[in-house]
């Protein structure tokens, strides 16, 4: 009798145990977390975060995401492709963030946006995470760190730096051109011999990339948009000279007839299809040109500084940072991903497969990175990064950019002269610039 009672009790316990085990995956499975054992059960639940960025033609983004998910099986990262056009991408984020949407957790931000986004309070400040994880900001290039800082707080982590460069075909070009006039001459000659359809590719559509191309021409001839004191100084003879060279090239026979529809993807595609000996683009062009799945010019490309104007060679400073949506429902997981992507492992993958120039200084000593991108190790490249020209810094940068885009486009179309363009830009920027 007693025995029967005991076995009944045992069965009740067993049933209870089974029910509990079925309800709790932690009881049924051993804890495989490699962490310090202090992680709470919530962290082991599977969480999906959305990471948005401009469509990546190189495939490096997916490799970063895969490497991250391998290390963090409980965090699923869904990549959302946004427009590659920086302005169009900006507008989509602003619409979503203005509405307080939590749909996107982590997203890339162009170096020209932090002031605006921080002021609009769209982003989660990262200082607490950085302190907690002991990240040393001195390991990073200070340019993008400064760009990511606003009102004493850090709003984003730097991913990669961009500087405008000249990519050229080593099978067609003996010596890269020293000046813009040399470029025009070499490009016409190669094109004239029927070796390529075009001589030169650039970005001349009315959008942010045109601002970068214009900044480069203006600076190469000694002009400036805004000086060290924050004053608008674009109305100068030097700026006019720079703009005139841009207008001359954009209207010349060396570029495609529809160059005013060209953004980065149109330029990089024509280049990797072998249609031009020269293209002005950002470093990612190199990885694409050497990708056998996409390119017809593998191993036939080298990189040089952009040609010189009267005052030397100038590259526009670009680049991307990554930030967390203030409304994210998974800030902890979002930070884990952002930390990985902007840390040494993520940046290394991005450098090798996307030829994106790291913001972590130590990575320029990494042999695999230099082997994949020999130009990263060259002195000229480091100099180009250091002397690259910034676009104006302002919380209303988008308005300033629009002024430049409209005036430069009108000047390319021949509706106004270069002189008129700089005068109007001066007047409108003085009226609009918020410091
Ligand atoms: C690149 C640069 C970015 C710039 C954009 C213009 O993505 O990194 O800073 O605004 O090109 O098209």
């Amino acid at each position: 009798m007693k025995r029967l009672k005991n076995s009944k009790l045992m069965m009740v316990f067993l049933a209870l145990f089974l029910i509990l085990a079925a309800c709790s995956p932690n009881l049924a499975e051993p804890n495989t977390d490699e962490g310090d054992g202090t992680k709470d059960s919530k962290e082991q639940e599977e969480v999906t975060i959305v990471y948005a960025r401009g469509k990546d033609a190189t495939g490096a983004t997916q490799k970063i995401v895969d490497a991250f998910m391998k290390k963090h099986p409980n965090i699923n990262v869904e990549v959302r492709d946004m427009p590659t056009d920086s302005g169009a991408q900006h507008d989509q984020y602003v619409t979503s963030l203005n509405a307080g949407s939590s749909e996107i957790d982590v997203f890339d931000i162009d170096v020209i946006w932090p002031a605006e986004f921080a002021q609009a309070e769209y982003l989660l400040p990262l200082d607490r995470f950085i302190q907690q994880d002991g990240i040393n900001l001195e390991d990073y290039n200070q340019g993008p760190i400064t760009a990511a800082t606003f009102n004493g707080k850090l709003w984003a982590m730097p991913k990669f730096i961009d500087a405008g460069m000249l990519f050229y075909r080593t099978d067609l070009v003996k010596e890269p051109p020293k000046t813009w006039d040399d470029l025009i001459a070499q490009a016409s000659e190669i094109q004239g011999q029927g070796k390529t359809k075009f001589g030169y590719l650039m970005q001349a559509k009315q959008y942010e990339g045109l601002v970068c191309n214009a900044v480069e021409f203006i600076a190469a001839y000694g002009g400036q948009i805004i000086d060290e004191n924050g004053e608008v100084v674009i109305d100068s003879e030097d700026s006019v000279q720079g703009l005139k060279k841009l207008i001359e090239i954009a209207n010349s026979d060396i570029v495609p007839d529809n160059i005013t529809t060209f953004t980065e993807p149109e330029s990089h595609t024509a280049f990797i299809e072998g249609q031009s000996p020269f293209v002005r683009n950002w470093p990612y062009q190199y990885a694409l040109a050497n990708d056998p799945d996409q390119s017809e010019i593998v191993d036939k490309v080298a990189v040089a500084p952009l040609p010189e104007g009267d005052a030397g060679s100038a590259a526009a400073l670009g680049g991307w940072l990554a930030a967390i949506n203030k409304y994210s429902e998974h800030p902890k997981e979002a930070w884990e991903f952002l930390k990985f992507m902007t840390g040494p492992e993520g940046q290394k993958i991005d450098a090798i497969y996307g030829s994106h120039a790291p913001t972590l200084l130590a990575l320029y000593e990494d042999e695999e990175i230099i082997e994949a991108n020999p130009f990263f190790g060259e002195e000229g490249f480091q100099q180009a990064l250091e002397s690259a020209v910034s676009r104006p810094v302002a919380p209303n940068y988008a308005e300033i950019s629009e002024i430049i885009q409209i005036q430069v486009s009108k000047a390319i179309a021949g509706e106004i002269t270069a002189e008129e363009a700089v005068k109007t830009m001066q007047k409108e920027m003085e009226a609009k610039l918020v410091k």
Side-chain angles (χ1 to χ4, degrees), residues 39 49 57 60 96 104 126 155 173-174 218 265 315 320 336 345 353 356 368 372 379 412 421 433:
K39 303 208 164 164
I49 58 170
S96 161
I104 293 167
L126 302 178
W155 301 92
V173 176
K174 281 190 215 89
I218 289 172
W320 290 79
E336 277 310 315
E345 284 170 273
Y353 297 99
H356 283 130
E368 285 171 281
E379 214 181 298
I412 291 176
L433 187 71

Side-chain angles (χ1 to χ4, degrees), residues 30 39 48 55 142 241 294 296 311 360 372 386 393 416-417:
K39 303 208 164 164
T48 296
K55 192 171 164 35
Q142 291 307 295
Q241 288 313 317
Q294 308 191 52
E296 288 170 32
L360 272 167
E386 270 159 43
V393 176
I416 54 173
T417 62

Side-chain angles (χ1 to χ4, degrees), residues 8 192 198 224 243 251 259 263 300 316 354 394 408 412 416:
K8 255 194 185 164
F198 310 116
Q224 261 185 312
L243 263 192
N251 282 288
I259 195 70
T263 66
K300 292 181 182 158
V408 175
I412 291 176
I416 54 173

Side-chain angles (χ1 to χ4, degrees), residues 11-21:
M11 276 177 72
V12 171
F13 275 134
L14 192 70
L16 249 172
F17 176 78
L18 285 175
I19 291 167
L20 270 174

Side-chain angles (χ1 to χ4, degrees), residues 15 39-40 90 100 113 119 131 175 229-230 260 263 267 296 307 313 317 352 360 365-366 369 377 393 399:
K39 303 208 164 164
D40 55 26
H90 166 274
W113 306 342
Q119 204 169 61
Q131 250 179 5
E175 274 286 309
N229 305 320
T260 52
T263 66
S267 319
E296 288 170 32
S313 162
L317 182 65
I352 292 178
L360 272 167
E365 311 292 322
D366 186 296
I369 292 180
V393 176
E399 284 183 294

Side-chain angles (χ1 to χ4, degrees), residues 86 110-112 160 162 207-209 212 264 282 317-320 391:
S86 168
D110 196 332
V111 282
I112 49 192
F160 60 84
D162 267 342
Y207 83 118
E208 188 58 36
C212 298
E264 287 85 358
W282 310 102
L317 182 65
W320 290 79
R391 283 160 281 170

Side-chain angles (χ1 to χ4, degrees), residues 235 237 240-241 243-244 416-424:
D235 184 7
E237 186 43 36
V240 169
Q241 288 313 317
L243 263 192
K244 281 192 169 159
I416 54 173
T417 62
E419 286 83 356
E420 285 165 340
V422 299
K423 286 214 166 2
T424 310

